[in-house]
Amino acid sequence: MNLTINDLAVFTNGSSNKKPIVFVHGFPLDHFMWDKQVDFLSDDYYCVRYDIRGLGNSPAGDGQFTMESFVDDLESVVVDLKLNKPVLCGLSMGGYISLRALERMQDKFSAVILFDTRSEADANEGKLKRAAGIKRINAEGLAPFTKDFITNCYGEYYKQNYKTEIDKRILKSSQFDPAGVKGSLLAMLGRNDTTGYLNKINIPALVICGEQDALTPPEVMKSMAEKINGAEFIVIKNSGHLSPVENPGDVNEAVKNFLDRI
Ligand code: MLT
């Protein structure tokens, strides 16, 4: 079902009587990145996805976003749909949103799955890179930025075998509202560091990383997982930064094993 909640484009699959899972996508993507997980899980779970404000079908408005406003948006979806302690599942920027959401309101969630993300805030180099990205979008339009950013997300295996899918993804993201993409960059640039909170997470946690993830490599994610009590850490083969897209078979198996146990 397609819904609008708090101006956000929200997509639900499965029965609302089942256990809910909320999926939060990465940058600069949209809810479609979870297609393979939702196909796999929606018989047994109430799968809720939304497009982060400014990306996909969620309008950018004034484009002034913070990580706090992104978490407010997530909360508005959970509250509006009356989700009872959903599993929270976020990738990369969606992981930043998830980690901050846990820091603010862990009691609203029953478990967390963190894909290809990190708890550290941007260091100086990262902040300057975001600023350079905004400057580039202003000078050249969105397409060259999204092409480079998205291409860099995939691992070698996917790049060699799924060229058409990558081109389609780049084309779609290049049609987003530039104000939304720039607003997301600024929100990520200004986010807080959630590392100090990791050892206070007391819900079941699964941490998943693509073995060829160049943006949030396995050693970074392993160290994050080690700080979360009892977290399980899984590396996905033949996959870069977008493991749910690049190797959905292995990812779905890992997610199902985790969900069966909690
Ligand atoms: C993402 O996939 O969401 C981005 O790589 C996050 C980031 O740029 O830090």
PDB file of all heavy atoms in Angstrom, residues 25-29 91-94 96 116 118 122 130 149 153 185 188 191 215-216 241-242, ligand 1:
ATOM      1  N   HIS A  25      16.457   3.554   4.061  1.00  0.00           N
ATOM      2  CA  HIS A  25      17.419   3.371   2.965  1.00  0.00           C
ATOM      3  C   HIS A  25      18.652   4.274   3.079  1.00  0.00           C
ATOM      4  O   HIS A  25      18.724   5.163   3.934  1.00  0.00           O
ATOM      5  CB  HIS A  25      16.718   3.591   1.609  1.00  0.00           C
ATOM      6  CG  HIS A  25      16.193   4.987   1.408  1.00  0.00           C
ATOM      7  ND1 HIS A  25      17.001   6.034   1.058  1.00  0.00           N
ATOM      8  CD2 HIS A  25      14.938   5.503   1.507  1.00  0.00           C
ATOM      9  CE1 HIS A  25      16.273   7.136   0.929  1.00  0.00           C
ATOM     10  NE2 HIS A  25      15.013   6.845   1.210  1.00  0.00           N
ATOM     11  N   GLY A  26      19.594   4.040   2.176  1.00  0.00           N
ATOM     12  CA  GLY A  26      20.830   4.822   2.149  1.00  0.00           C
ATOM     13  C   GLY A  26      20.726   6.020   1.210  1.00  0.00           C
ATOM     14  O   GLY A  26      19.698   6.278   0.579  1.00  0.00           O
ATOM     15  N   PHE A  27      21.829   6.740   1.087  1.00  0.00           N
ATOM     16  CA  PHE A  27      21.940   7.973   0.294  1.00  0.00           C
ATOM     17  C   PHE A  27      22.713   7.684  -0.986  1.00  0.00           C
ATOM     18  O   PHE A  27      23.719   6.954  -0.912  1.00  0.00           O
ATOM     19  CB  PHE A  27      22.693   9.015   1.130  1.00  0.00           C
ATOM     20  CG  PHE A  27      23.152  10.222   0.353  1.00  0.00           C
ATOM     21  CD1 PHE A  27      22.341  11.333   0.215  1.00  0.00           C
ATOM     22  CD2 PHE A  27      24.410  10.235  -0.250  1.00  0.00           C
ATOM     23  CE1 PHE A  27      22.777  12.433  -0.511  1.00  0.00           C
ATOM     24  CE2 PHE A  27      24.839  11.342  -0.976  1.00  0.00           C
ATOM     25  CZ  PHE A  27      24.026  12.435  -1.100  1.00  0.00           C
ATOM     26  N   PRO A  28      22.384   8.223  -2.111  1.00  0.00           N
ATOM     27  CA  PRO A  28      21.175   8.984  -2.458  1.00  0.00           C
ATOM     28  C   PRO A  28      20.199   8.039  -3.155  1.00  0.00           C
ATOM     29  O   PRO A  28      20.065   8.074  -4.373  1.00  0.00           O
ATOM     30  CB  PRO A  28      21.708  10.052  -3.427  1.00  0.00           C
ATOM     31  CG  PRO A  28      22.875   9.362  -4.118  1.00  0.00           C
ATOM     32  CD  PRO A  28      23.357   8.234  -3.233  1.00  0.00           C
ATOM     33  N   LEU A  29      19.533   7.224  -2.358  1.00  0.00           N
ATOM     34  CA  LEU A  29      18.684   6.159  -2.900  1.00  0.00           C
ATOM     35  C   LEU A  29      17.233   6.382  -2.471  1.00  0.00           C
ATOM     36  O   LEU A  29      16.865   7.480  -2.069  1.00  0.00           O
ATOM     37  CB  LEU A  29      19.210   4.796  -2.415  1.00  0.00           C
ATOM     38  CG  LEU A  29      20.699   4.522  -2.682  1.00  0.00           C
ATOM     39  CD1 LEU A  29      21.112   3.196  -2.064  1.00  0.00           C
ATOM     40  CD2 LEU A  29      20.988   4.512  -4.182  1.00  0.00           C
ATOM     41  N   LEU A  91      20.377   1.164   6.380  1.00  0.00           N
ATOM     42  CA  LEU A  91      21.641   1.029   5.640  1.00  0.00           C
ATOM     43  C   LEU A  91      22.313   2.393   5.507  1.00  0.00           C
ATOM     44  O   LEU A  91      21.688   3.361   5.057  1.00  0.00           O
ATOM     45  CB  LEU A  91      21.396   0.448   4.245  1.00  0.00           C
ATOM     46  CG  LEU A  91      22.662   0.298   3.398  1.00  0.00           C
ATOM     47  CD1 LEU A  91      22.727  -1.066   2.724  1.00  0.00           C
ATOM     48  CD2 LEU A  91      22.802   1.404   2.352  1.00  0.00           C
ATOM     49  N   SER A  92      23.566   2.440   5.871  1.00  0.00           N
ATOM     50  CA  SER A  92      24.431   3.606   5.703  1.00  0.00           C
ATOM     51  C   SER A  92      23.775   4.867   6.275  1.00  0.00           C
ATOM     52  O   SER A  92      23.653   4.976   7.482  1.00  0.00           O
ATOM     53  CB  SER A  92      24.847   3.761   4.253  1.00  0.00           C
ATOM     54  OG  SER A  92      25.991   4.573   4.225  1.00  0.00           O
ATOM     55  N   MET A  93      23.304   5.820   5.450  1.00  0.00           N
ATOM     56  CA  MET A  93      22.625   6.981   6.040  1.00  0.00           C
ATOM     57  C   MET A  93      21.411   6.515   6.844  1.00  0.00           C
ATOM     58  O   MET A  93      21.101   7.082   7.897  1.00  0.00           O
ATOM     59  CB  MET A  93      22.204   7.985   4.964  1.00  0.00           C
ATOM     60  CG  MET A  93      21.540   9.224   5.534  1.00  0.00           C
ATOM     61  SD  MET A  93      21.291  10.546   4.345  1.00  0.00           S
ATOM     62  CE  MET A  93      19.791  10.007   3.526  1.00  0.00           C
ATOM     63  N   GLY A  94      20.754   5.478   6.350  1.00  0.00           N
ATOM     64  CA  GLY A  94      19.640   4.899   7.119  1.00  0.00           C
ATOM     65  C   GLY A  94      20.130   4.318   8.440  1.00  0.00           C
ATOM     66  O   GLY A  94      19.390   4.265   9.427  1.00  0.00           O
ATOM     67  N   TYR A  96      22.723   5.700  10.098  1.00  0.00           N
ATOM     68  CA  TYR A  96      22.955   6.874  10.967  1.00  0.00           C
ATOM     69  C   TYR A  96      21.630   7.265  11.633  1.00  0.00           C
ATOM     70  O   TYR A  96      21.578   7.589  12.827  1.00  0.00           O
ATOM     71  CB  TYR A  96      23.464   8.097  10.183  1.00  0.00           C
ATOM     72  CG  TYR A  96      24.661   7.895   9.287  1.00  0.00           C
ATOM     73  CD1 TYR A  96      24.866   8.728   8.178  1.00  0.00           C
ATOM     74  CD2 TYR A  96      25.605   6.904   9.527  1.00  0.00           C
ATOM     75  CE1 TYR A  96      25.953   8.576   7.339  1.00  0.00           C
ATOM     76  CE2 TYR A  96      26.702   6.747   8.688  1.00  0.00           C
ATOM     77  CZ  TYR A  96      26.864   7.582   7.589  1.00  0.00           C
ATOM     78  OH  TYR A  96      27.941   7.424   6.744  1.00  0.00           O
ATOM     79  N   ASP A 116      26.095  -1.788   6.502  1.00  0.00           N
ATOM     80  CA  ASP A 116      27.050  -0.906   5.826  1.00  0.00           C
ATOM     81  C   ASP A 116      26.956   0.539   6.335  1.00  0.00           C
ATOM     82  O   ASP A 116      26.639   1.467   5.581  1.00  0.00           O
ATOM     83  CB  ASP A 116      26.814  -0.987   4.304  1.00  0.00           C
ATOM     84  CG  ASP A 116      26.954  -2.426   3.803  1.00  0.00           C
ATOM     85  OD1 ASP A 116      28.084  -2.901   3.664  1.00  0.00           O
ATOM     86  OD2 ASP A 116      25.909  -3.099   3.613  1.00  0.00           O
ATOM     87  N   ARG A 118      28.241   3.322   9.933  1.00  0.00           N
ATOM     88  CA  ARG A 118      29.223   3.559  11.001  1.00  0.00           C
ATOM     89  C   ARG A 118      28.590   4.453  12.067  1.00  0.00           C
ATOM     90  O   ARG A 118      27.644   5.191  11.783  1.00  0.00           O
ATOM     91  CB  ARG A 118      30.500   4.189  10.438  1.00  0.00           C
ATOM     92  CG  ARG A 118      30.296   5.574   9.867  1.00  0.00           C
ATOM     93  CD  ARG A 118      31.624   6.262   9.514  1.00  0.00           C
ATOM     94  NE  ARG A 118      32.187   5.803   8.256  1.00  0.00           N
ATOM     95  CZ  ARG A 118      33.431   5.331   8.140  1.00  0.00           C
ATOM     96  NH1 ARG A 118      34.218   5.276   9.185  1.00  0.00           N
ATOM     97  NH2 ARG A 118      33.890   4.963   6.955  1.00  0.00           N
ATOM     98  N   ASP A 122      31.195  12.538  10.828  1.00  0.00           N
ATOM     99  CA  ASP A 122      32.179  12.868   9.792  1.00  0.00           C
ATOM    100  C   ASP A 122      33.402  13.546  10.418  1.00  0.00           C
ATOM    101  O   ASP A 122      33.270  14.481  11.211  1.00  0.00           O
ATOM    102  CB  ASP A 122      31.583  13.854   8.775  1.00  0.00           C
ATOM    103  CG  ASP A 122      30.650  13.183   7.784  1.00  0.00           C
ATOM    104  OD1 ASP A 122      30.449  11.951   7.873  1.00  0.00           O
ATOM    105  OD2 ASP A 122      30.122  13.891   6.911  1.00  0.00           O
ATOM    106  N   ARG A 130      31.824  16.441   1.679  1.00  0.00           N
ATOM    107  CA  ARG A 130      30.387  16.767   1.540  1.00  0.00           C
ATOM    108  C   ARG A 130      30.241  18.160   0.923  1.00  0.00           C
ATOM    109  O   ARG A 130      29.428  18.379   0.034  1.00  0.00           O
ATOM    110  CB  ARG A 130      29.694  16.781   2.897  1.00  0.00           C
ATOM    111  CG  ARG A 130      29.878  15.530   3.733  1.00  0.00           C
ATOM    112  CD  ARG A 130      28.741  14.598   3.613  1.00  0.00           C
ATOM    113  NE  ARG A 130      28.845  13.549   4.608  1.00  0.00           N
ATOM    114  CZ  ARG A 130      28.644  12.257   4.378  1.00  0.00           C
ATOM    115  NH1 ARG A 130      28.307  11.837   3.180  1.00  0.00           N
ATOM    116  NH2 ARG A 130      28.744  11.365   5.326  1.00  0.00           N
ATOM    117  N   PHE A 149      29.123   8.970  -7.105  1.00  0.00           N
ATOM    118  CA  PHE A 149      28.852   8.496  -5.740  1.00  0.00           C
ATOM    119  C   PHE A 149      28.304   7.073  -5.761  1.00  0.00           C
ATOM    120  O   PHE A 149      28.774   6.191  -5.035  1.00  0.00           O
ATOM    121  CB  PHE A 149      27.852   9.440  -5.037  1.00  0.00           C
ATOM    122  CG  PHE A 149      27.793   9.221  -3.556  1.00  0.00           C
ATOM    123  CD1 PHE A 149      28.507  10.021  -2.683  1.00  0.00           C
ATOM    124  CD2 PHE A 149      27.048   8.164  -3.032  1.00  0.00           C
ATOM    125  CE1 PHE A 149      28.484   9.786  -1.310  1.00  0.00           C
ATOM    126  CE2 PHE A 149      27.016   7.927  -1.663  1.00  0.00           C
ATOM    127  CZ  PHE A 149      27.729   8.740  -0.806  1.00  0.00           C
ATOM    128  N   CYS A 153      29.766   3.036  -4.670  1.00  0.00           N
ATOM    129  CA  CYS A 153      29.113   2.222  -3.618  1.00  0.00           C
ATOM    130  C   CYS A 153      29.207   0.729  -3.926  1.00  0.00           C
ATOM    131  O   CYS A 153      29.282  -0.087  -3.005  1.00  0.00           O
ATOM    132  CB  CYS A 153      27.637   2.601  -3.496  1.00  0.00           C
ATOM    133  SG  CYS A 153      27.379   4.176  -2.651  1.00  0.00           S
ATOM    134  N   LEU A 185      23.138  15.714   2.382  1.00  0.00           N
ATOM    135  CA  LEU A 185      24.584  15.843   2.614  1.00  0.00           C
ATOM    136  C   LEU A 185      24.849  16.698   3.855  1.00  0.00           C
ATOM    137  O   LEU A 185      25.698  16.360   4.696  1.00  0.00           O
ATOM    138  CB  LEU A 185      25.264  16.457   1.382  1.00  0.00           C
ATOM    139  CG  LEU A 185      25.452  15.519   0.187  1.00  0.00           C
ATOM    140  CD1 LEU A 185      25.836  16.295  -1.072  1.00  0.00           C
ATOM    141  CD2 LEU A 185      26.515  14.459   0.476  1.00  0.00           C
ATOM    142  N   MET A 188      24.009  14.782   7.036  1.00  0.00           N
ATOM    143  CA  MET A 188      25.051  13.808   7.398  1.00  0.00           C
ATOM    144  C   MET A 188      26.279  14.531   7.936  1.00  0.00           C
ATOM    145  O   MET A 188      26.897  14.089   8.911  1.00  0.00           O
ATOM    146  CB  MET A 188      25.397  12.932   6.189  1.00  0.00           C
ATOM    147  CG  MET A 188      24.293  11.955   5.833  1.00  0.00           C
ATOM    148  SD  MET A 188      24.806  10.704   4.635  1.00  0.00           S
ATOM    149  CE  MET A 188      24.781  11.638   3.112  1.00  0.00           C
ATOM    150  N   ARG A 191      25.815  15.461  11.607  1.00  0.00           N
ATOM    151  CA  ARG A 191      25.258  14.489  12.566  1.00  0.00           C
ATOM    152  C   ARG A 191      26.184  14.293  13.775  1.00  0.00           C
ATOM    153  O   ARG A 191      27.395  14.503  13.664  1.00  0.00           O
ATOM    154  CB  ARG A 191      24.999  13.140  11.881  1.00  0.00           C
ATOM    155  CG  ARG A 191      26.233  12.311  11.619  1.00  0.00           C
ATOM    156  CD  ARG A 191      25.897  11.102  10.748  1.00  0.00           C
ATOM    157  NE  ARG A 191      27.011  10.179  10.611  1.00  0.00           N
ATOM    158  CZ  ARG A 191      28.014  10.318   9.745  1.00  0.00           C
ATOM    159  NH1 ARG A 191      28.057  11.369   8.930  1.00  0.00           N
ATOM    160  NH2 ARG A 191      28.976   9.422   9.689  1.00  0.00           N
ATOM    161  N   LEU A 215      33.225   2.197   1.565  1.00  0.00           N
ATOM    162  CA  LEU A 215      32.819   3.372   2.347  1.00  0.00           C
ATOM    163  C   LEU A 215      32.792   3.078   3.845  1.00  0.00           C
ATOM    164  O   LEU A 215      33.212   3.906   4.657  1.00  0.00           O
ATOM    165  CB  LEU A 215      31.440   3.868   1.884  1.00  0.00           C
ATOM    166  CG  LEU A 215      31.419   4.677   0.582  1.00  0.00           C
ATOM    167  CD1 LEU A 215      31.475   3.767  -0.622  1.00  0.00           C
ATOM    168  CD2 LEU A 215      30.199   5.545   0.499  1.00  0.00           C
ATOM    169  N   THR A 216      32.247   1.938   4.199  1.00  0.00           N
ATOM    170  CA  THR A 216      32.241   1.514   5.609  1.00  0.00           C
ATOM    171  C   THR A 216      32.779   0.083   5.641  1.00  0.00           C
ATOM    172  O   THR A 216      32.019  -0.884   5.700  1.00  0.00           O
ATOM    173  CB  THR A 216      30.811   1.587   6.205  1.00  0.00           C
ATOM    174  OG1 THR A 216      29.894   0.912   5.341  1.00  0.00           O
ATOM    175  CG2 THR A 216      30.345   3.013   6.361  1.00  0.00           C
ATOM    176  N   HIS A 241      29.105  -1.708  -0.771  1.00  0.00           N
ATOM    177  CA  HIS A 241      28.406  -0.917   0.256  1.00  0.00           C
ATOM    178  C   HIS A 241      26.897  -1.178   0.272  1.00  0.00           C
ATOM    179  O   HIS A 241      26.224  -0.817   1.220  1.00  0.00           O
ATOM    180  CB  HIS A 241      28.705   0.562  -0.039  1.00  0.00           C
ATOM    181  CG  HIS A 241      28.227   1.534   0.972  1.00  0.00           C
ATOM    182  ND1 HIS A 241      28.620   1.510   2.297  1.00  0.00           N
ATOM    183  CD2 HIS A 241      27.371   2.599   0.862  1.00  0.00           C
ATOM    184  CE1 HIS A 241      28.044   2.518   2.939  1.00  0.00           C
ATOM    185  NE2 HIS A 241      27.270   3.182   2.096  1.00  0.00           N
ATOM    186  N   LEU A 242      26.373  -1.787  -0.789  1.00  0.00           N
ATOM    187  CA  LEU A 242      24.913  -1.955  -0.879  1.00  0.00           C
ATOM    188  C   LEU A 242      24.549  -3.435  -0.803  1.00  0.00           C
ATOM    189  O   LEU A 242      23.903  -3.995  -1.703  1.00  0.00           O
ATOM    190  CB  LEU A 242      24.392  -1.307  -2.176  1.00  0.00           C
ATOM    191  CG  LEU A 242      24.692   0.192  -2.319  1.00  0.00           C
ATOM    192  CD1 LEU A 242      24.210   0.728  -3.655  1.00  0.00           C
ATOM    193  CD2 LEU A 242      24.044   0.986  -1.179  1.00  0.00           C
TER     194      LEU A 242
HETATM  195  C1  MLT B   1      24.975   6.017   2.144  1.00  0.00           C
HETATM  196  O1  MLT B   1      25.111   4.985   1.498  1.00  0.00           O
HETATM  197  O2  MLT B   1      23.917   6.285   2.716  1.00  0.00           O
HETATM  198  C2  MLT B   1      26.129   6.993   2.180  1.00  0.00           C
HETATM  199  O3  MLT B   1      27.277   6.378   1.720  1.00  0.00           O
HETATM  200  C3  MLT B   1      26.350   7.538   3.539  1.00  0.00           C
HETATM  201  C4  MLT B   1      27.438   8.559   3.566  1.00  0.00           C
HETATM  202  O4  MLT B   1      27.714   9.213   2.555  1.00  0.00           O
HETATM  203  O5  MLT B   1      28.044   8.738   4.631  1.00  0.00           O
END
